[in-house]
Amino acid sequence: MFARERQERIVREVRERGSVRLAELAEQLGVSMVTLRRDVEVLAGQGLVRRVHGGITRSEPAPSPAPGPAPAPGGQQLVIGMVVPTASYYYPAVIKGAREQAERHGARIVLAVSRYDDEEARARVDQLAGSGVDGLLLTPSRQPDARHEDWLTTLPRPAVMVERQTGLGRLSSRLDSVASHHAHGAFLAARHLADLGHRRLVTAARPSPTTQSVRQGFLAAVRELGLAEPVQVDIGADGPADEQCAQVLAAVADGATGMLVHNDSDALVLVQQLQAAGVRLPEDLSLVAYDDEVAALSAPPLTAVAPPKEAVGRRAVDLLVRRLTDDPDAPAEHTVLLPELKRRASTAPAR
């Protein structure tokens, strides 16, 4: 891990938790205390962290004046419509990041939920446009394809797509977009398991707009690292059933020792089923969850890939505000943010 990457990880941990012990950070990053203290020295000199006995805390920035309202065309406060598939899983953090960033710009978010239904998404966009929003943060119910082209190229307001990306060369690619790089996150999971000595892996996922990217990233890592082709378990829309648990148990009996489950809500259910069948985590199976919504609440706490959900929301607002107020003719920007791996107690070296 490069020094810059380590330092970014340190700053994120401190911002999320408020304070962190140096010994815990050194173990988490896999570096010596000498290396860690050198990183902390650099960050403290930049005012990004504050050193305390045995650890570091958030640096308290000097208060800055609150921004005035971002002006909409016509001089009024900007109002941003935000359409998400759900407000109960994954997207609350995206919404939080967007709302907080909108407030920093002096703008206001109006939220609508499409329930993973294309027609509902279209209706919510029309409703928001009719209510007078200035721009849209839009998450289509699934990854856009040719069937979305007419809609996305005739949206009634300037828009930024959130956690979705259009196909190459489509007219809709002229929309700004911000998304997590889920293939990268899955690659991190497979590499983590391989670094621990796990050579035979399992991947389990239910259908979702991100499942294809997760599987592509996982398979890319498996093949690059020379591992055996993973066992692939397809979880149904209602979550893990006895049949999927039996498939995992069979893979473990056949020598699989590492596993990625997308998403981590399903991972919790599978963990319970596996433990009831006598499989121990991490002694018999090292398991990585994807999404990091509730992974830390498992017993044992699950190592998880954490997409940068709040950062996605913040960046989407920045792009939209720029488009609405500063540079409406700027080239389209497609921003991809990298997930990180959070190591917990569900992964360990292979026996």
Side-chain angles (χ1 to χ4, degrees):
M1 184 182 297
F2 295 111
R4 182 175 179 181
E5 184 180 356
R6 286 197 311 271
Q7 291 163 13
E8 289 175 349
R9 287 275 303 276
I10 292 167
V11 170
R12 282 198 297 270
E13 287 293 323
V14 172
R15 285 176 177 170
E16 289 178 4
R17 298 165 58 182
S19 63
V20 192
R21 293 176 60 249
L22 290 182
E24 182 182 348
L25 266 178
E27 180 180 356
Q28 181 177 339
L29 296 172
V31 297
S32 69
M33 289 296 289
V34 172
T35 299
L36 180 61
R37 288 193 178 98
R38 190 181 304 124
D39 288 337
V40 168
E41 192 77 24
V42 171
L43 295 172
Q46 296 172 350
L48 297 173
V49 302
R50 185 164 61 91
R51 287 169 291 183
V52 296
H53 180 68
I56 52 177
T57 67
R58 278 195 296 251
S59 178
E60 298 299 332
S64 57
Q76 302 300 313
Q77 179 189 30
L78 279 179
V79 181
I80 297 172
M82 185 173 190
V83 180
V84 293
T86 176
S88 61
Y89 184 88
Y90 192 97
Y91 286 95
V94 180
I95 295 164
K96 178 176 182 287
R99 177 177 55 80
E100 292 176 350
Q101 195 69 359
E103 289 173 357
R104 293 186 185 100
H105 284 288
R108 180 167 63 91
I109 295 282
V110 179
L111 184 67
V113 177
S114 70
R115 299 180 290 187
Y116 285 98
D117 181 271
D118 280 349
E119 292 305 316
E120 186 82 2
R122 289 170 167 80
R124 298 289 75 77
V125 164
D126 291 342
Q127 183 181 42
L128 288 168
S131 73
V133 301
D134 299 292
L136 296 163
L137 302 180
L138 174 60
T139 304
S141 297
R142 50 200 167 88
Q143 294 293 352
D145 56 28
R147 290 167 290 184
H148 295 82
E149 278 294 280
D150 287 345
W151 177 48
L152 292 177
T153 54
T154 58
L155 290 169
R157 296 289 186 274
V160 173
M161 281 206 299
V162 180
E163 289 291 19
R164 298 288 186 266
Q165 294 178 296
T166 59
L168 294 175
R170 296 191 185 281
L171 289 176
S172 56
S173 65
R174 297 175 184 174
L175 290 173
D176 294 321
S177 67
V178 184
S180 300
H181 197 322
H182 295 297
H184 175 85
F187 193 104
L188 293 180
R191 188 174 65 190
H192 171 62
L193 292 168
D195 287 346
L196 292 172
H198 300 284
R199 313 306 295 173
R200 301 188 65 181
L201 307 180
V202 183
T203 176
R206 68 164 70 194
S208 81
T210 58
T211 296
Q212 182 178 1
S213 294
V214 169
R215 282 186 164 151
Q216 285 174 344
F218 195 77
L219 284 171
V222 163
R223 291 164 184 169
E224 181 173 314
L225 297 167
L227 307 182
E229 284 291 303
V231 175
Q232 183 171 296
V233 176
D234 296 318
I235 297 174
D238 294 328
D242 291 344
E243 178 183 354
Q244 284 91 54
C245 184
Q247 289 177 270
V248 176
L249 288 170
V252 172
D254 196 37
T257 60
M259 183 173 185
L260 172 68
V261 183
H262 177 240
N263 55 51
D264 60 338
S265 178
D266 288 343
L268 262 65
V269 175
L270 269 175
V271 165
Q272 294 165 6
Q273 294 173 322
L274 292 169
Q275 288 174 331
V279 175
R280 300 168 300 165
L281 271 67
E283 293 87 351
D284 302 321
L285 181 68
S286 282
L287 189 145
V288 180
Y290 199 101
D291 279 350
D292 201 33
E293 287 285 305
V294 291
L297 304 180
S298 176
L302 302 181
T303 295
V305 176
K309 291 166 269 193
E310 289 191 25
V312 166
R314 291 193 297 268
R315 182 61 182 147
V317 168
D318 286 342
L319 282 178
L320 184 59
V321 170
R322 182 200 68 171
R323 183 68 62 187
L324 291 171
T325 64
D326 295 333
D327 197 355
D329 298 320
E333 181 173 327
H334 293 184
T335 300
V336 181
L337 303 181
L338 301 185
E340 63 176 317
L341 183 78
K342 295 195 174 181
R343 301 181 184 185
R344 300 191 180 102
S346 67
T347 53
R351 293 187 169 188

